[in-house]
Amino acid sequence: MGAFAALGQARPVAAKGAVRQAARAMASAADSAVTIDLGENVFDGYNIDVPSSKVTMSREDLVGLYREMQVVRRLEMAADSSYKHKLIRGFCHLCTGQEAVPIGVESALTKQDAVITAYRCHGFTYMRGASPFGILAELMGRKDGVSKGKGGSMHMYAPGFYGGNGIVGAQVPLGAGIAFAQKYRGEAACTVALYGDGAANQGQVFEAYNMAKLWDLPVLFVCENNKYGMGTAASRAAANTDYYTRGQYIPGIRVNGMDVLAVRQAVAYAREYAIANGPIVLEMKTYRYGGHSMSDPGTTYRTREEVQHMRSTSDPITGYKHRLLDNGVATEDELKAIDKAAKKSIDEELAKAKAIPEPAAAELWDDVYVKGAGVPYLRGRVPEETHYFN
Amino acid sequence: YPEHQVVGMPALSPTMTQGNVGQWQKSVGDRIEPGDVLVEIETDKAQMDFEFQEEGYLAQILAPTGSKDLGIDSPIAVIVEDAADVSAFADFSLDAAKSAAAPAAEAPSAPDAAAAPAQAAPSQPTPAAAAAPAAGDGSRIFASPLAKTLAKEKGVDLAQIEGSGPRGRVIKADIERFVASGAAKAAAAAAPKAVAAAAPKAAAAAAPAPAVAGVGFTDIPLTNMRKVIAKRLTEAKSTIPHYYLQQSIAMDNVNKLRQSLNTAANGAYKLSVNDFVIKAAASALRDVPDVNSSWQGEFIRQNHHADIAVAAATPAGLITPIVKTCDAKGLKAISSDVRDLVTRARANKLKPEEFQGGSFTISNLG
C-alpha cells in the first residue's frame, strides 16, 4: 500500500463510504501515481529498441482503463444477445477478448491523432467518443445511431475515427493517406491504422508500407493478431507469422495484446517515434472468444477447450484486475462495483436504444453527397426507384 | 421471484425463425461461465450449440429436451446471478414470462422491389409502386432491364405484354411494338403490394406433439429434417422433368476385381460394390458432361467435377452426404470417404457443405 502513504491531508467531506475511500477519491493525480512493472518479455523489437517495461500512471487512470474495458465487454455482450434476438441483423463482428487493444491504443493517443480500423470496430468507436447508446442504436439500425441508423456494425464513425470498414485490408492504405494529410498539414499527430492477421497478407498493405516509408509518414501499422483469419489459422495463411517483421524496412514491435498497459506503453512509444521519424509496425498478440462474426460459431476451426483456456488464463480484464489488486491500486469491492455499474449502464443504454424508431425511408437518399456537391438524381436498386432531388 | 433473466430461444442463423431444443448440457443449479454451452439447438440448417455469454446459475429449464418448433425468443430457461436464488425457481411457470411464441417475424421473402425494412412495419407504404412484381401469385415477370426502363418511361404495364425473348422474356422490341399498337393507355400499376407483404407472418405456435396413438393407427411426429426432405422431394418431383431408364448389368467381373483388390489390401481397406458403382458413375460423368448437369431455371449448369451424393439412412431421416471430385479419386479414397461420411451422418455430425450440392445421387437399397 506504499502508493497511499503519500496521500497528504484527507479533506473532510461527507463522502459515501469509509473515510479512507473518500480520501482516495479526493487524492490528486500527483499524489497517487503508481509504477507497475510489466515483467520481462512483454515486447519484442525488430530493428528498434523496445519501450521500457515500467509503467507509471495515476490511480484514477489505472482504474479508468479497467472501467473502459468492462464497458466494452458488456457492450459486446449486449450486441451478442441482441443479435441472437434478431434485433441486430446483417454483419456483427465482436471484439470480446480483445478489449485491451482499443482501450490501450486510445489511452496513448490524443484527440488530434486519427484511428482507422476494419469491422471489429465497436470498441474503437466507443473509445473515440461515441456513446454506447449511439453504438447500440446504430447496430439495430435506429435513427439516433452514430451513422443515423444507415451504416450498421461496419460503418461507424466518430471524431478522428475513420471507421468501421468492410473491405479486408482496404483501411490500411487509407490510414497511410490520413497520416500523409497530417504530415502535409504540419500536425504533430499520428494515424493508427489497424488490421488483422488475415489482412496482413494483402498486397495493398505492402503498398501502404512502401509509400509510408518512402515519405516518412507518421503512421502506426497495428496488426491485431488473434491467430485466425475468419477460420484459417495464421500458420496456414502466412509464410511469416511474425507480423511485426513484415514491414521489412519498417521497424516493428510485438506486444502482448492481452495486457492493456503493455498496449498503451507500446503505442505511446510508437507514436513518438512515428511523429519524429516515420512509420512503425506494431503486432498485438490477442485472442477473440467469439467467432469471426455472429454467423460463425467459432468452434469449427478451434476447440472449445482452447477458447475456454484462453478465457481462464489470459483474459485481459481478469488479468488486469489481478494486477490492480496485487499492486494495491484498487480493492475487490471497488472493481465489483465498477462491473455492476458497467452492466447497469449498458443495460440502460440498450433499453433506450431499443425504444428509438428506425430512420424514415426518405432518408435513404440523404448523406450520399456533401451538400452543394450533389447530383440531380440518384438511382435505386431498380429503375423504378430513381429519386430526383428538387 | 428474485432478480433473474429469462433466456429465450436464440436466433443462431440469420434465417432461423424457430428451432427445436436438443440435449441440455447444463442441469438446474449448475454454474455457467461465459462461453459455456447451455443447450443444443436444432435450427433450420443444422444442430448448433447455444453458448451462453454471461455468468450465472441455471435456475430452471422451461423448454425440456425434445421441445419442438419454438419461435425465436420463446422462453427456454431462467438464469440467476446467485446460487442461493436457484431454489426459488423450482415451480417457476411461464405465465409470468410474456409468451413470445408468436414472433413478429418479418417475412424476409416479401417480394416487393422497394423492400420494407425489418420489424416495425413502415408507417407510410413506399409510394414507389412496384409495377414489376405480379400480384400475389409469386410469379415474376421476366423482362430485360432495358425493357423495364422503357416500360417505366412509357408508362406501360409489363404484365400486359407478351414476351418474345428467350423463355418468354419481355424485351425492348415487345415494348415498342406494344406502344406502337396504340395500347399505351395501360392500367395504372397494381396497388402497392408492399403493404400486404409486410404483414407479419404468424409462425405456428409451439405445440410439441408426442406420438399420438389412436385406435388402429399411431401418429408419428416429424423431425424438422423429415419435413424439409418431404418438401424438397415434392418440389423436385413437380418442377423438374423426369424420365426413367432401366438397365441390368452383369457384375461378375466387378466382383472378381473387388475380391482380388480386397485380398491384396491386407486390411488397409475394404471396397464395397457401392464404391465401384460410384467410381464407374464418376468416370461416366466425366465422359458425358451433358449428364453431369443441372437445370437452374435460366440456364443449365454443366459441372466440371463429379460430386456424387450417396444416400444414407439415418435414424432421423434420409440424408445424402457428398463425395467430392470422384472423378479424381481412386477406389480406396472413395471407399474411405463414404465410410467416414456415413458414420458422421448417422451421428448427425455433417457440416452443411457436406450434404448440400452434388450433381449425381446414388441410392443403394442393399
Side-chain angles (χ1 to χ4, degrees):
Chain A
M1 288 293 196
F4 301 102
L7 267 181
Q9 293 166 334
R11 281 163 256 180
V13 74
K16 353 174 186 25
V19 173
R20 211 162 70 151
Q21 295 267 31
R24 279 211 205 116
M26 301 292 282
S28 66
D31 288 344
S32 58
V34 182
T35 301
I36 294 180
D37 192 334
L38 299 177
E40 316 235 315
N41 303 326
V42 181
F43 305 114
D44 292 313
Y46 170 73
N47 291 347
I48 189 171
D49 293 326
V50 296
S52 147
S53 59
K54 291 206 181 353
V55 178
T56 303
M57 284 171 70
S58 74
R59 197 201 78 90
E60 284 85 67
D61 290 345
L62 285 167
V63 176
L65 295 182
Y66 180 86
R67 179 179 303 113
E68 302 290 41
M69 284 202 287
Q70 195 63 265
V71 168
V72 170
R73 171 68 64 95
R74 299 252 39 132
L75 176 67
E76 297 294 67
M77 283 167 65
D80 180 292
S81 107
S82 299
Y83 195 93
K84 292 195 169 119
H85 288 281
K86 283 194 152 180
L87 292 168
I88 300 177
R89 312 300 303 281
F91 288 113
C92 192
H93 304 79
L94 303 178
C95 63
T96 322
Q98 296 185 208
E99 294 87 0
V101 179
I103 277 78
V105 164
E106 183 62 35
S107 71
L109 299 179
T110 68
K111 284 287 168 235
Q112 283 70 46
D113 300 312
V115 175
I116 187 170
T117 184
Y119 36 74
R120 210 170 293 283
C121 59
H122 307 161
F124 288 97
T125 316
Y126 169 70
M127 292 307 293
R128 283 260 99 188
S131 69
F133 163 74
I135 294 173
L136 289 165
E138 184 57 39
L139 286 173
M140 295 192 283
R142 309 298 167 101
K143 69 175 179 53
D144 288 335
V146 285
S147 302
K148 301 188 186 169
K150 297 192 271 185
S153 170
M154 297 199 291
H155 301 95
M156 295 191 184
Y157 305 90
F161 179 56
Y162 293 81
N165 291 278
I167 308 290
V168 172
Q171 73 278 6
V172 180
L174 288 184
I178 299 169
F180 184 85
Q182 287 171 324
K183 179 163 179 154
Y184 191 90
R185 293 199 215 106
E187 296 168 7
C190 72
T191 301
V192 181
L194 298 114
Y195 52 97
D197 46 289
N201 301 315
Q202 279 264 320
Q204 55 194 325
V205 170
F206 294 89
E207 291 183 38
Y209 286 166
N210 180 55
M211 286 187 263
K213 185 63 179 173
L214 196 57
W215 300 320
D216 292 327
L217 304 179
V219 53
L220 275 63
F221 293 111
V222 180
C223 176
E224 279 180 278
N225 177 10
N226 59 16
K227 299 173 146 185
Y228 298 93
M230 276 209 291
T232 308
S235 53
R236 291 175 57 226
N240 173 7
T241 52
D242 292 328
Y243 296 99
Y244 70 115
T245 64
R246 299 288 287 274
Q248 192 194 341
Y249 38 77
I250 299 180
I253 303 178
R254 178 163 55 194
V255 186
N256 174 10
M258 303 301 253
D259 179 346
V260 66
L261 293 181
V263 173
R264 180 181 189 276
Q265 188 82 329
V267 173
Y269 180 82
R271 176 179 182 275
E272 248 189 75
Y273 176 89
I275 293 175
N277 304 312
I280 181 170
V281 176
L282 294 179
E283 179 189 341
M284 304 289 171
K285 290 199 74 85
T286 181
Y287 197 86
R288 55 168 162 82
Y289 303 147
H292 168 74
S293 71
M294 290 303 297
S295 327
D296 169 28
T299 46
T300 48
Y301 43 87
R302 52 188 191 176
T303 61
R304 210 178 280 285
E305 286 73 49
E306 178 189 310
V307 184
Q308 295 300 67
H309 174 78
M310 292 301 284
R311 255 194 207 270
S312 48
T313 59
S314 314
D315 186 83
I317 298 178
T318 326
Y320 190 58
K321 178 171 164 173
H322 289 315
R323 175 174 277 151
L324 292 180
L325 295 174
D326 293 344
N327 282 279
V329 179
T331 63
E332 179 100 36
D333 290 334
E334 268 183 271
L335 297 180
K336 265 212 170 53
I338 292 178
D339 294 349
K340 274 200 159 55
K343 179 176 197 305
K344 186 157 171 291
S345 111
I346 293 293
D347 287 344
E348 282 167 10
E349 305 274 272
L350 180 62
K352 271 198 316 193
K354 279 187 192 170
I356 303 291
E358 288 172 0
E363 282 195 47
L364 182 66
W365 311 101
D366 298 338
D367 306 313
V368 180
Y369 285 92
V370 169
K371 273 205 168 50
V375 290
Y377 67 88
L378 212 49
R379 246 191 52 180
R381 294 160 301 167
V382 290
E384 290 82 18
E385 264 188 66
T386 306
H387 177 85
Y388 292 87
F389 298 99
N390 294 321
Chain B
Y1 285 108
E3 204 182 304
H4 61 279
Q5 186 190 357
V6 179
V7 178
M9 170 72 74
L12 293 174
S13 87
T15 52
M16 179 180 169
T17 52
Q18 57 187 36
N20 302 341
V21 178
Q23 234 6 67
W24 279 91
Q25 303 293 323
K26 295 277 177 185
S27 330
V28 175
D30 280 354
R31 168 141 181 100
I32 304 179
E33 299 282 345
D36 281 350
V37 179
L38 202 56
V39 60
E40 287 174 8
I41 302 279
E42 192 188 322
T43 71
D44 56 334
K45 298 200 170 118
Q47 188 111 355
M48 301 197 57
D49 293 329
F50 175 28
E51 278 182 23
F52 201 67
Q53 298 299 328
E54 310 215 19
E55 52 187 22
Y57 293 86
L58 181 57
Q60 183 60 280
I61 293 177
L62 300 172
T65 300
S67 307
K68 292 205 180 296
D69 294 340
L70 297 178
I72 303 294
D73 289 338
S74 316
I76 60 172
V78 181
I79 306 279
V80 291
E81 280 194 25
D82 296 315
D85 292 338
V86 174
S87 45
F89 289 85
D91 50 1
F92 183 85
S93 71
L94 277 179
D95 18 290
K98 44 189 188 308
S99 122
E106 70 286 3
S109 54
D112 59 293
Q119 244 95 35
S123 53
Q124 79 268 54
T126 45
D137 67 318
S139 62
R140 222 160 43 103
I141 299 176
F142 289 97
S144 72
L146 180 56
K148 280 190 199 162
T149 318
L150 210 55
K152 183 166 187 268
E153 272 178 38
K154 309 269 184 213
V156 167
D157 182 6
L158 281 172
Q160 303 201 337
I161 302 180
E162 212 176 278
S164 67
R167 283 178 215 94
R169 200 181 305 170
V170 175
I171 55 177
K172 174 176 157 196
D174 299 326
I175 309 272
E176 288 173 341
R177 206 182 322 119
F178 185 83
V179 169
S181 74
K185 45 170 176 69
K193 284 290 169 187
V195 181
K201 189 164 65 176
V212 175
V215 180
F217 60 85
T218 310
D219 288 338
I220 300 162
L222 300 169
T223 57
N224 258 356
M225 195 178 171
R226 237 178 213 157
K227 281 188 206 163
V228 176
I229 291 172
K231 182 159 160 251
R232 295 270 178 261
L233 283 177
T234 312
E235 193 185 311
K237 197 75 178 181
S238 52
T239 60
I240 302 174
H242 278 61
Y243 67 94
Y244 302 95
L245 295 172
Q246 214 168 321
Q247 193 166 11
S248 295
I249 301 176
M251 294 292 273
D252 304 27
N253 286 339
V254 174
N255 278 329
K256 274 194 215 146
L257 180 61
R258 186 168 87 93
Q259 262 177 353
S260 76
L261 284 175
N262 278 341
T263 39
N266 277 333
Y269 54 83
K270 185 156 185 290
L271 302 172
S272 70
V273 173
N274 211 33
D275 299 327
F276 282 86
V277 174
I278 295 175
K279 182 65 189 170
S283 306
L285 287 170
R286 194 188 51 218
D287 294 341
V288 188
D290 281 343
V291 181
N292 195 9
S293 309
S294 63
W295 181 265
Q296 298 285 335
E298 296 278 302
F299 55 90
I300 290 174
R301 172 161 293 168
Q302 215 177 66
N303 298 298
H304 296 159
H305 290 289
D307 293 335
I308 297 189
V310 179
T314 75
L318 183 77
I319 199 164
T320 50
I322 302 165
V323 185
K324 306 253 187 214
T325 50
C326 291
D327 50 319
K329 285 188 176 149
L331 284 165
K332 185 165 148 210
I334 291 177
S335 175
S336 73
D337 277 355
V338 170
R339 215 178 294 271
D340 165 59
L341 285 167
V342 171
T343 315
R344 281 195 290 126
R346 296 217 173 102
N348 219 355
K349 283 198 165 35
L350 286 176
K351 303 190 192 91
E353 63 269 15
E354 288 176 320
F355 57 86
Q356 285 168 359
S359 57
F360 196 81
T361 310
I362 297 181
S363 294
N364 185 352
L365 296 175

